[in-house]
Amino acid sequence: MISTLSGTVAHVGLHEAVLEVGGVGLLVAATPATLAGLKVGETARVQTHLVVREDSLTLFAFRTAEEREVFTTMLGVSGIGPRIALAVLAVHSPADVARAVAAGDDKAFSQVPGIGPKGARRIVLELAGKLVLPEEEPAPQGGTGSADGPAWAPQVTEALIGLGWSEKDAATAVDGYVRTDPQAADLTVPAALKAVLAGLGAARR
């Protein structure tokens, strides 16, 4: 099993990146937050998990071992595949996932594209007792805003498009959230994506 990768970043896309390791370019799928931390031409180290199917081998990359642990644990839930598990980590941090499961918070998972009410309830039930709640987390360090909007806005917009929203709807959702939350500029990319998705979910109900 491939556990970690260290190499030069050759490409960063909306859903995946390519790391050159020993002269070989390895394609890895990752969350928007993980991809945002990769810069072409720089050396990077990521945690990985290899999903083996009859017709494919797919390598998933994560910033931390905690993200990978949540991902692999979620793969044990009935009906949850790697793409949905990755989508959960695009919306929630590992700590948020653990807290939602511990609190029986179905709605936290129904905010994730591709997960309905029944799937959200199944996640809460099947993950109960399998995730460790963090004792404490450091305060998030937000990005700097500008006259054109917060630093996270382009990445969150691209992430929403990757999750299935149109470019227009994604941009409107980001702009709407920035206008209504005076602290929006201080958010990290994962926190901003979670907040914007929560607003989109509320608008659909």
Side-chain angles (χ1 to χ4, degrees):
M1 179 66 70
I2 302 173
S3 179
T4 62
L5 283 180
S6 294
T8 303
V9 180
H11 167 75
V12 179
L14 286 177
H15 312 290
E16 72 286 316
V18 175
L19 268 65
E20 288 190 354
V21 182
V24 178
L26 297 175
L27 183 70
V28 295
T31 64
T34 297
L35 294 170
L38 302 178
K39 307 298 179 185
V40 174
E42 295 185 0
T43 300
R45 185 176 188 272
V46 293
Q47 307 287 320
T48 59
H49 179 78
L50 180 65
V51 174
V52 180
R53 296 280 174 81
E54 289 184 3
D55 57 349
S56 66
L57 297 173
T58 307
L59 199 57
F60 292 86
F62 311 92
R63 291 178 300 173
T64 65
E66 289 77 15
E67 288 185 347
R68 182 179 61 189
E69 181 181 358
V70 169
F71 177 84
T72 56
T73 304
M74 289 203 67
L75 293 182
V77 176
S78 305
I80 300 298
R83 296 295 175 182
I84 293 297
L86 196 67
V88 170
L89 286 169
V91 178
H92 300 296
S93 69
D96 287 339
V97 172
R99 291 192 187 99
V101 170
D105 184 5
D106 299 14
K107 291 184 179 179
F109 296 104
S110 61
Q111 294 172 4
V112 179
I115 299 179
K118 290 183 179 178
R121 170 45 46 187
R122 189 164 59 247
I123 289 172
V124 169
L125 291 175
E126 295 191 24
L127 290 187
K130 295 182 179 179
L131 298 174
V132 179
L133 278 169
E135 294 183 2
E136 61 179 34
E137 284 186 292
Q141 309 226 340
T144 18
S146 70
D148 297 323
W152 52 257
Q155 294 169 14
V156 170
T157 302
E158 289 182 356
L160 291 173
I161 294 170
L163 290 170
W165 275 273
S166 69
E167 184 175 352
K168 180 181 178 181
D169 287 345
T172 299
V174 169
D175 290 343
Y177 176 69
V178 171
R179 286 197 302 270
T180 57
D181 189 341
Q183 297 182 333
D186 297 325
L187 296 179
T188 59
V189 172
L193 179 59
K194 177 182 176 181
V196 175
L197 279 169
L200 284 166
R204 284 184 169 183
R205 288 195 287 271

